[in-house]
C-alpha cells in the first residue's frame, strides 16, 4: 500500500509539473512556483514513500535527474526548436514577406530534430550502466553537441525562402548565396488543390486536404509552396492573389476533381471553418 501511495504521489507531482509547463508563458512566476515548490518536493517524497530513506540517500541524485530530464530538458529542447522557428518566421514576416519558410536547403531541414534526439539520448547518461569514466565522456559529448546545435541554429538563421512583396521570390541559403526571381519574370501563379490519402499500413497516418501555390516563370521553371486548409494559409493565399492582380500576373485555380471536392467539403465541416471564403478562393460553387 505504501508503494502504491508513493507512485500516486509521483504521478500527481508530474501532473502539477505538466500544468506548470502549459501555463509557463501566461504566468511564469506561478508556473515556476508550482514546479519547484510543489511538484518537485512531492516527487521526491513520493520516491521516499515508495522505498525508504536509505535508498533515497543512494539514488536521490538519479531521481532528481530523472525529474529534471522529464520536466526540464525534454520540454526545453522541443520548445527551443519551436520558439526558434516562430521567432524566425515572425522576424521575416515583419520584413514584408507574404509567405515564409524557414529552410531553403532541403538536406538540412531535419537536422534540428536530429540534434534534439541525439541530445535526448546523451542527457540520460546518469542512467547508463557503465563506468564513471564513460559517463564523464558522455556528459562532455552532451555539452559539445549542445554547443554545435546552438552554432547550427545560428548558421541556419540565414537559410530561408519566401515571397517578398517587393523583391519577388527570394531564396537565401545558409552559405550566403541568394536567388531572387522578380515579379517581372513570373508568367503565372496557379493554385493546385490535392488530397493526401492515409496509408492503410500506417494507423497513425491521416487523410488531409491541402494545396500548392505554383509560380511558373517565363523560363518555364516551377517554384512551389505547400499550404494547408486553415485560416492562416487562406489569408496568405488571398494576399498572394491580391499581389498577383496588382502586378498583372495571371492567377488561376486548378479545378478540383469530384473526390477532392468531397474531401474539401468534409474537411471544412470537420474543422468547423466558414465555407464561404474558402469557396470564393478555390472558385467552387
Amino acid at each position: 500500500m505504501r508503494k502504491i501511495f508513493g507512485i500516486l504521489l509521483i504521478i500527481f507531482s508530474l501532473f502539477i509539473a505538466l500544468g506548470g509547463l502549459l501555463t509557463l508563458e501566461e504566468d511564469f512566476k506561478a508556473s515556476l512556483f508550482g514546479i519547484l515548490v510543489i511538484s518537485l518536493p512531492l516527487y521526491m517524497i513520493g520516491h521516499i514513500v515508495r522505498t525508504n530513506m536509505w535508498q533515497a540517500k543512494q539514488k536521490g541524485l538519479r531521481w532528481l535527474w530523472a525529474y529534471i530530464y522529464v520536466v526540464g530538458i525534454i520540454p526545453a529542447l522541443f520548445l527551443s526548436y519551436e520558439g526558434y522557428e516562430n521567432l524566425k518566421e515572425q522576424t521575416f514576416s515583419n520584413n514584408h514577406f507574404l509567405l515564409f519558410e524557414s529552410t531553403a536547403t532541403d538536406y538540412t531541414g531535419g537536422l534540428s530534430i536530429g540534434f534534439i534526439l541525439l541530445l535526448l539520448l546523451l542527457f540520460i547518461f546518469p542512467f547508463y550502466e557503465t563506468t564513471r569514466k564513460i559517463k564523464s565522456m558522455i556528459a562532455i559529448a552532451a555539452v559539445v553537441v549542445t554547443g554545435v546545435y546552438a552554432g547550427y541554429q545560428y548558421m541556419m538563421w540565414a537559410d530561408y525562402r519566401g515571397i517578398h512583396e517587393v523583391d519577388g521570390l527570394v531564396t537565401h541559403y545558409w552559405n550566403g548565396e541568394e536567388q531572387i526571381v522578380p515579379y517581372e519574370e513570373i508568367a503565372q501563379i496557379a493554385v493546385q488543390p490535392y488530397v493526401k490519402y492515409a496509408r492503410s499500413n500506417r494507423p497513425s497516418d491521416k487523410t488531409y486536404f491541402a494545396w500548392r501555390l505554383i509560380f511558373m516563370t517565363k523560363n518555364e521553371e516551377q517554384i512551389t509552396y505547400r499550404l494547408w486548409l486553415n485560416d492562416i494559409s487562406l489569408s496568405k493565399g488571398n494576399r498572394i492573389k491580391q499581389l498577383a492582380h496588382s502586378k498583372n500576373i495571371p492567377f488561376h485555380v486548378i479545378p478540383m476533381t469530384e473526390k477532392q471536392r468531397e474531401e474539401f467539403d468534409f474537411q471544412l465541416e470537420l474543422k468547423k471553418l466558414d465555407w464561404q471564403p474558402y469557396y470564393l478562393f478555390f472558385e467552387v460553387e
Side-chain angles (χ1 to χ4, degrees):
M1 187 66 185
R2 176 177 171 174
K3 184 177 180 180
I4 295 174
F5 181 65
I7 293 172
L8 290 175
L9 276 178
I10 292 171
I11 295 172
F12 181 60
S13 72
L14 293 176
F15 271 112
I16 293 175
L18 177 61
L21 290 172
L22 292 175
T23 59
L24 199 60
E25 291 185 4
E26 300 173 6
D27 194 335
F28 179 78
K29 290 183 178 179
S31 298
L32 205 62
F33 180 85
I35 292 171
L36 297 179
V37 180
I38 301 176
S39 173
L40 179 56
L42 277 178
Y43 171 82
M44 296 303 292
I45 291 171
H47 274 297
I48 295 171
V49 170
R50 75 174 184 85
T51 57
N52 52 57
M53 286 300 298
W54 183 84
Q55 288 197 42
K57 292 178 180 179
Q58 298 295 318
K59 300 180 180 179
L61 289 177
R62 294 185 69 180
W63 295 343
L64 179 60
W65 183 257
Y67 183 88
I68 294 172
Y69 183 81
V70 172
V71 177
I73 294 175
I74 294 177
L77 285 173
F78 283 103
L79 285 174
S80 69
Y81 172 76
E82 183 180 355
Y84 174 85
E85 293 294 316
N86 290 339
L87 177 62
K88 189 173 178 180
E89 182 167 357
Q90 289 174 11
T91 300
F92 285 96
S93 294
N94 291 335
N95 289 332
H96 307 291
F97 274 93
L98 304 179
L99 188 60
F100 178 82
E101 292 184 355
S102 62
T103 56
T105 310
D106 294 335
Y107 61 86
T108 61
L111 279 179
S112 292
I113 297 297
F115 273 115
I116 290 173
L117 295 177
L118 178 58
L119 286 170
L120 289 177
L121 289 174
L122 291 173
F123 275 121
I124 59 174
F125 67 91
F127 305 102
Y128 292 131
E129 296 295 335
T130 184
T131 63
R132 181 171 294 183
K133 182 179 180 180
I134 293 178
K135 285 185 178 182
S136 298
M137 293 174 63
I138 296 173
I140 293 171
V143 173
V144 172
V145 173
T146 300
V148 173
Y149 175 52
Y152 167 78
Q153 294 291 63
Y154 176 80
M155 178 184 70
M156 291 303 294
W157 185 264
D159 193 87
Y160 59 87
R161 71 176 192 143
I163 302 169
H164 193 277
E165 62 181 356
V166 176
D167 298 334
L169 276 61
V170 177
T171 303
H172 196 285
Y173 297 99
W174 62 270
N175 59 5
E177 293 183 8
E178 186 177 60
Q179 296 177 358
I180 297 178
V181 180
Y183 291 113
E184 292 76 15
E185 294 183 14
I186 297 175
Q188 63 174 327
I189 303 173
V191 171
Q192 182 186 51
Y194 71 96
V195 177
K196 164 63 174 63
Y197 291 98
R199 297 183 182 180
S200 57
N201 60 343
R202 292 186 179 181
S204 61
D205 204 8
K206 294 181 179 180
T207 297
Y208 61 83
F209 179 95
W211 50 287
R212 299 181 183 92
L213 195 61
I214 303 173
F215 294 80
M216 178 69 74
T217 69
K218 293 179 180 178
N219 295 327
E220 297 186 352
E221 177 188 1
Q222 285 190 7
I223 302 171
T224 302
Y225 288 84
R226 185 171 65 171
L227 295 102
W228 313 101
L229 191 67
N230 56 48
D231 290 344
I232 294 176
S233 291
L234 180 64
S235 175
K236 292 178 179 178
N238 279 320
R239 291 176 69 188
I240 301 300
K241 186 177 181 179
Q242 292 172 4
L243 180 70
H245 290 162
S246 68
K247 301 289 185 182
N248 295 317
I249 301 172
F251 185 97
H252 70 279
V253 179
I254 299 173
M256 298 182 195
T257 64
E258 185 177 346
K259 288 186 176 180
Q260 288 174 345
R261 174 62 185 275
E262 290 176 359
E263 187 63 31
F264 173 68
D265 287 331
F266 172 74
Q267 292 291 337
L268 285 176
E269 184 177 355
L270 181 66
K271 296 180 179 181
K272 298 180 179 179
L273 298 170
D274 182 6
W275 60 271
Q276 289 182 324
Y278 289 91
Y279 272 36
L280 181 63
F281 181 78
F282 289 101
E283 300 177 2
V284 297
E285 297 179 355

